[in-house]
């Protein structure tokens, strides 16, 4: 009987302890792309520490080449993640009179990461849609919000002139600066712009929520950024250009020069192509430089090997 009463007393005195134990949830194994972790399990008990590292060319979102994450109430803190250094962003910009909310500090942020700001008391966001977030797109942060003072806040620069929008002594106040900023299109998701734009001699190789990535076909070189974003006005950012990067070799032109082959060959910019002459072990070397084709005489294989072919 005494033991039963003692158990009842413990339940009465320490309900918070029992509640905390029941609230703690295990974690499932994280989905880590571009890296690996240990120990490997299907589920992890609360407060379990996980160690992970990333493949070459990638790194954890925290400082160092390896990182640890802890299972806390069913979630990993922080979420294990490996990011590419080229497309990643550094720390978010500091905005006057604003602080970043709901975000642990990270040294680098993955593509498409979102960071939200909150203005201090007396300041508001002067954006057309009240946007308070910035996004990591192709290695750069999008333009952040501006926290400005509103009427009656008592801060400097809050309102110039009377409440009717006129300057003291007559005349309208100057607000073109605000209006220009408010009308500036903001980056948004790519579905807002509709079908993917066509880049001649190029293809889309990566589709993310907030950007497209293009790659030029073989024998073409890229001019401009390979990343295309969508703005709130429904327009795509400037598209890359896939410029010809090859020379055309028409063998019919050199038929009298001792070639066995005929037809058309293509030589990439900055590369060479070796074609056989009519004699055994004799070759002619073609080179494409700045879109212009140059070539050597027919040389013996030994001369080519020792670099004596001109």
């Amino acid at each position: 009987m005494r033991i039963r009463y003692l158990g009842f007393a413990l339940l009465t005195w320490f309900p918070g302890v029992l509640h905390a134990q029941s609230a703690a949830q295990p974690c499932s194994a994280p989905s880590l792309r571009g890296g690996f972790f240990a120990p490997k399990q299907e589920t992890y008990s609360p407060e379990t520490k996980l160690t992970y590292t990333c493949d070459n060319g990638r790194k954890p979102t925290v400082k160092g080449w390896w990182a640890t994450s802890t299972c806390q109430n069913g979630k990993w803190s922080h979420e294990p993640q490996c990011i590419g250094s080229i497309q990643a962003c550094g720390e978010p910009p500091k905005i006057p009179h604003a602080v970043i909310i709901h975000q642990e500090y990270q040294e680098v942020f993955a593509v498409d990461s979102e960071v939200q700001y909150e203005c201090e008391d007396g300041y508001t966001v002067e954006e057309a849609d009240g946007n308070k977030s910035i996004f990591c797109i192709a290695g750069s942060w999008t333009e952040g919000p501006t926290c400005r003072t509103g009427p009656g806040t008592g801060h400097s620069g809050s309102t110039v002139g009377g409440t009717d929008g006129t300057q003291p002594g007559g005349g309208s106040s100057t607000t073109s600066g605000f209006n220009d900023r408010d009308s500036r299109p903001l980056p948004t998701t790519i579905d807002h712009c509709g079908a993917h734009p066509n880049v001649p001699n190029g293809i889309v190789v990566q589709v993310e929520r907030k950007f497209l990535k293009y790659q030029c076909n073989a024998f073409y070189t890229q001019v401009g950024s390979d990343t295309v974003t969508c703005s709130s006005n429904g327009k795509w950012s400037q598209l890359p250009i896939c410029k010809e990067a090859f020379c055309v070799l028409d063998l019919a032109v050199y038929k009298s020069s001792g070639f066995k082959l005929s037809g058309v060959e293509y030589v990439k910019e900055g590369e060479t192509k070796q074609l056989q002459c009519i004699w055994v072990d004799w070759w002619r070397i073609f080179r494409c430089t700045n879109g212009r084709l140059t070539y050597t005489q027919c040389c013996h294989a030994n001369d080519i090997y020792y670099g004596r072919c001109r």
Side-chain angles (χ1 to χ4, degrees):
M1 182 66 70
R2 180 177 299 176
I3 294 176
R4 181 182 302 173
Y5 285 138
L6 178 60
F8 177 78
L10 289 174
L11 290 173
T12 305
W13 293 343
F14 302 108
V17 175
L18 294 177
H19 175 74
Q21 290 177 348
S22 62
Q25 299 294 325
C27 297
S28 58
S31 177
L32 182 62
R33 186 173 62 178
F36 57 94
F37 56 86
K40 285 194 173 182
Q41 303 171 195
E42 292 186 0
T43 58
Y44 298 80
S45 58
E47 301 304 319
T48 298
K49 285 189 178 294
L50 189 75
T51 302
Y52 73 95
T53 187
C54 301
D55 299 336
N56 289 336
R58 293 176 175 265
K59 69 182 302 295
T61 56
V62 295
K63 190 174 182 180
W65 63 266
W66 85 94
T68 59
S69 183
T70 305
C71 175
Q72 295 181 345
N73 196 24
K75 295 183 179 180
W76 292 103
S77 179
H78 61 282
E79 183 69 23
Q81 192 175 25
C82 291
I83 59 177
S85 300
I86 297 177
Q87 298 292 328
C89 294
E91 63 179 20
K94 183 178 181 180
I95 295 179
H97 308 293
V99 65
I100 294 175
I101 59 174
H102 311 308
Q103 177 66 57
E104 295 181 2
Y105 175 79
Q106 296 176 199
E107 189 180 39
V108 288
F109 288 77
V111 170
D112 213 24
S113 293
E114 178 181 1
V115 171
Q116 187 175 9
Y117 290 84
E118 184 73 28
C119 296
E120 68 174 271
D121 291 343
Y123 289 81
T124 57
V125 173
E126 293 287 347
E127 295 290 349
D129 58 355
N131 181 52
K132 296 182 179 181
S133 298
I134 61 174
F135 299 89
C136 175
I137 298 179
S140 300
W141 290 106
T142 58
E143 187 174 357
T146 299
C147 294
R148 300 187 185 277
T149 55
T153 59
H155 294 281
S156 60
S158 57
T159 303
V160 179
T163 57
D164 59 354
T166 60
Q167 297 281 5
S172 61
S173 60
T174 302
T175 60
S176 60
F178 294 150
N179 292 335
D180 290 343
R181 182 177 179 84
D182 290 344
S183 61
R184 188 179 305 168
L186 299 172
T188 185
T189 54
I190 61 173
D191 55 0
H192 186 72
C193 288
H196 298 172
N198 177 50
V199 173
N201 302 306
I203 59 172
V204 176
V205 294
Q206 185 177 352
V207 179
E208 299 292 345
R209 192 168 67 97
K210 286 190 172 290
F211 72 90
L212 301 172
K213 189 172 183 180
Y214 286 81
Q215 179 178 299
C216 293
N217 297 332
F219 295 94
Y220 288 85
T221 185
Q222 175 190 303
V223 178
S225 174
D226 63 353
T227 303
V228 177
T229 59
C230 174
S231 297
S232 57
N233 60 1
K235 295 183 179 180
W236 294 100
S237 62
Q238 186 172 358
L239 301 178
I241 297 174
C242 292
K243 182 181 177 182
E244 290 184 357
F246 60 89
C247 296
V248 179
L249 171 57
D250 187 356
L251 293 176
V253 177
Y254 305 93
K255 198 168 185 180
S256 61
S257 302
F259 275 110
K260 297 177 62 175
L261 303 176
S262 62
V264 176
E265 297 280 342
Y266 294 91
V267 184
K268 285 187 178 181
E269 177 68 32
E271 295 186 0
T272 60
K273 177 165 286 191
Q274 189 171 303
L275 298 177
Q276 187 177 4
C277 299
I278 58 175
W279 308 285
V280 178
D281 291 337
W282 289 76
W283 305 80
R284 177 168 284 182
I285 300 174
F286 290 84
R287 178 178 286 105
C288 181
T289 306
N290 296 325
R292 181 171 175 267
L293 193 65
T294 58
Y295 56 92
T296 67
Q297 60 182 351
C298 284
C299 299
H300 192 270
N302 289 334
D303 293 326
I304 295 175
Y305 179 79
Y306 290 107
R308 295 195 296 258
C309 186
R310 296 291 185 267

